[in-house]
Amino acid sequence: MGDSKRQRILMVSDFFYPNFGGVENHIYLLSQCLIKLGHKVVVMTHAYGNRSGVRYMTGGLKVYYVPWKPFLMQNTLPTFYGTLPIIRTILIREQISLVHGHQAFSTLCHEALMHARTMGYKFTLADVSQAICVSHTSKENTVLRSGLPPEKVYVIPNAVDTAMFKPAAERPSGNEIVIVVISRLVYRKGADLLVEVIPEVCRMYPNVRFIVGGDGPKRVRLEEMREKHSLQDRVEMLGAVPHARVRSVLISGHIFLNSSLTEAFCIAILEAASCGLLTVSTRVGGVPEVLPDDMIVLAEPDPTDMVQAIKKAISILPMIDPQDMHNRMKKLYDWHDVAKRTEIVYDRALKCSNQSLLERLSRYLACGAWAGKLFCLVMIIDFLLWRLLQLWKPAEDIEVVPDIVLSHDED
Amino acid sequence: MVESCISNKIYSYKHECKWPNSEAADVHNIIVRKSRSKGFLVFFSALLILANVILLFLIKDKSIAVVFWSFIWDVLIVKLLLRKPVEKESVVVMPALGVQLETHYVSGKIIRRFVPIDKILKPVLLECVTPVTCYWSLSLIIQEEAELMLVFKELRPPVKMLVPIWKALCAATGSEGSLNTFTDDGPCC
């Protein structure tokens, strides 16, 4: 692996800090590792409440909170061409060489990629030069749905910050078995399954206790379940748990339960395994690829099957060594490794030849009878608008931001 | 006495030092260069509309009222687009006294704001992001005020003109004006 040139990367997504979630963490940690490898990273996202403008994060990570209002589930309104001026300005003033879009549901991301494509930038994600998926299942899905050739899709799994998620020095003692659930209490994360599973397990095993962290619309159902079966002393509801406190909640338990109905990867179970917990999870999406078979017990997303899985987990619990699990996780998942693999994908993307507008248009026409012609029209208008902008605000007039190097007395 | 001068297409920056041998006022001016093209374009389009309407009146026999109203409309538009043009904005730095911010309009009107030196906590260079663009601005952090005071209210000069003014303000207010390592060229390793 030779020395690749220093890149100036723009990460685009609708989902970033101060929101907390898998995608947000992924972007942040990947950016930090890329900065350590010597690249320059700039993140672009929409404004969150009062937080709008330019902010700097650790390591000199610059974040542009563009004042476009999110209209649905944190996604900005897809205005098609509305974001063209500001994206062009940011690409020119930061002298970006590569655009990396995150998350298939992000409208800002798609618009940015479309505009960057028009302006001739190289970039990675679906229907572009290269794509990165977090698991092989996700790759299958992407290839089937987007028609992208499989050679262009790379699989780079997420990683976990093993320095932060360490097991407790001593396991929680006593003959109680504590099962921890930390997730957003929404339909997608299987909160309804929990409502069926928890009373059954509590009935079968009198020494099992549950700790449920997280908040969401389904919280009410869980509270009702607690009332109905009088489980107030056996099920503890913590409410929303800030990310910094997740570790302390995890190390108070023995088993981690994940009941998602769909999941591309699931970083939560990585964090649990890194803290030395045995995981019980539903067999969906990319979950089977994440952990080795002896660290996880899988079940179908069905209450009876899950109860069986918990039974099996409780029986193999005495054979688990948390420190050993943690050490294995350290070797298997590391963000620095993810960053290096991403760098390789970037290099490949940059080597991709620039397709001219006509070639791309002919590729879009092949997409479908009506869809193809619509895409072509959209891209042609985008191209014309870009040319117009170039005349009105020429690139030389946009000032380049000077590189500010942080002093290295911290670190 | 003019000490330094930077210019680009729209603005030019002049730094003058009055009474150079004493520690007196330091004036930084940002002057708007006269752009003929904008005024020309506005007048031309107004003329075009008027000519169109007169033609309509003469050929299609529309009433004189239409011509009259479109003339009024034209005047209003011209006034709106070419309204209150700024000739220059200046910053007069008086060490130990304060900073005076002036806006000179083409019509001869001058608006002045004075800020005493001990009310200024720090001058800062910030990037402002709007839904369509991103630009640099120079502001002062004022004691006991929640909002920043913009040094240049109407104009948006480029950062290379703002930096010397920022450094002069830092020197006058006694705050540290270092940007760690400030490099102007592209990616460096």
Side-chain angles (χ1 to χ4, degrees), chain A residues 56 62 68 85-86 93 399 402-403, chain B residues 127 131-132 134 136 158-159 183:
Chain A
Y56 287 90
K62 187 169 179 182
W68 281 93
I86 182 73
R93 75 199 306 267
E399 300 178 288
D403 265 343
Chain B
E127 288 173 275
V132 290
C134 184
W136 287 94
V159 77
T183 48

Side-chain angles (χ1 to χ4, degrees), chain A residues 145-371:
Chain A
R145 290 183 192 197
S146 69
L148 203 65
E151 314 81 64
K152 285 203 178 164
V153 182
Y154 296 85
V155 178
I156 302 180
N158 280 327
V160 67
D161 192 357
T162 42
M164 178 165 143
F165 290 97
K166 283 202 180 82
E170 275 182 27
R171 243 175 156 189
S173 56
N175 54 3
E176 261 198 336
I177 297 184
V178 181
I179 303 187
V180 179
V181 179
I182 298 188
S183 77
R184 281 175 295 139
L185 300 173
V186 293
Y187 170 72
R188 183 173 95 89
K189 298 284 184 182
D192 298 305
L193 274 177
L194 283 179
V195 170
E196 318 259 328
V197 167
I198 294 179
E200 190 59 31
V201 173
C202 285
R203 193 183 60 83
M204 282 170 59
Y205 292 96
N207 63 337
V208 163
R209 214 163 47 86
F210 278 87
I211 295 182
V212 178
D215 207 348
K218 296 282 181 180
R219 187 175 171 177
V220 180
R221 283 203 71 193
L222 282 165
E223 303 271 9
E224 280 175 8
M225 175 237 359
R226 250 175 113 199
E227 294 283 321
K228 190 168 153 198
H229 299 272
S230 311
L231 295 169
Q232 285 88 340
D233 51 341
R234 303 202 40 206
V235 175
E236 194 183 333
M237 308 273 300
L238 295 176
V241 180
H243 197 245
R245 279 191 45 217
V246 166
R247 186 216 164 215
S248 53
V249 175
L250 285 174
I251 55 175
S252 63
H254 302 95
I255 297 180
F256 183 78
L257 178 60
N258 174 51
S259 53
S260 313
L261 298 178
T262 154
E263 201 71 77
F265 185 82
C266 201
I267 298 191
I269 55 183
L270 274 190
E271 291 170 351
S274 181
C275 285
L277 275 81
L278 180 62
T279 307
V280 174
S281 174
T282 42
R283 187 183 284 116
V284 289
V287 171
E289 300 170 33
V290 174
L291 287 177
D293 291 327
D294 53 340
M295 290 196 203
I296 186 169
V297 180
L298 292 169
E300 298 304 315
D302 170 71
T304 16
D305 214 28
M306 287 184 74
V307 172
Q308 290 300 319
I310 295 181
K311 195 167 156 189
K312 182 170 169 208
I314 294 178
S315 65
I316 62 176
L317 196 57
M319 297 181 265
I320 301 291
D321 175 17
Q323 198 55 45
D324 181 55
M325 272 179 104
H326 173 78
N327 292 337
R328 282 172 71 188
M329 292 304 294
K330 241 169 57 170
K331 286 204 209 95
L332 288 172
Y333 288 103
D334 178 31
W335 278 108
H336 294 282
D337 183 52
V338 171
K340 286 211 192 82
R341 288 161 80 170
T342 313
E343 222 185 355
I344 297 178
V345 180
Y346 288 163
D347 287 335
R348 299 253 173 92
L350 285 165
K351 290 210 183 75
C352 253
S353 58
N354 240 338
Q355 278 185 317
S356 74
L357 180 67
L358 290 175
E359 283 173 11
R360 278 165 43 218
L361 286 179
S362 59
R363 204 167 70 85
Y364 290 137
L365 270 177
C367 274
W370 282 109

Side-chain angles (χ1 to χ4, degrees), chain B residues 84-88 103-111 154:
Chain B
K84 280 177 78 157
V86 179
E87 186 200 344
K88 74 170 181 183
T103 309
H104 299 245
Y105 293 95
V106 166
S107 50
K109 186 161 128 186
I110 305 178
I111 295 188
E154 310 277 344

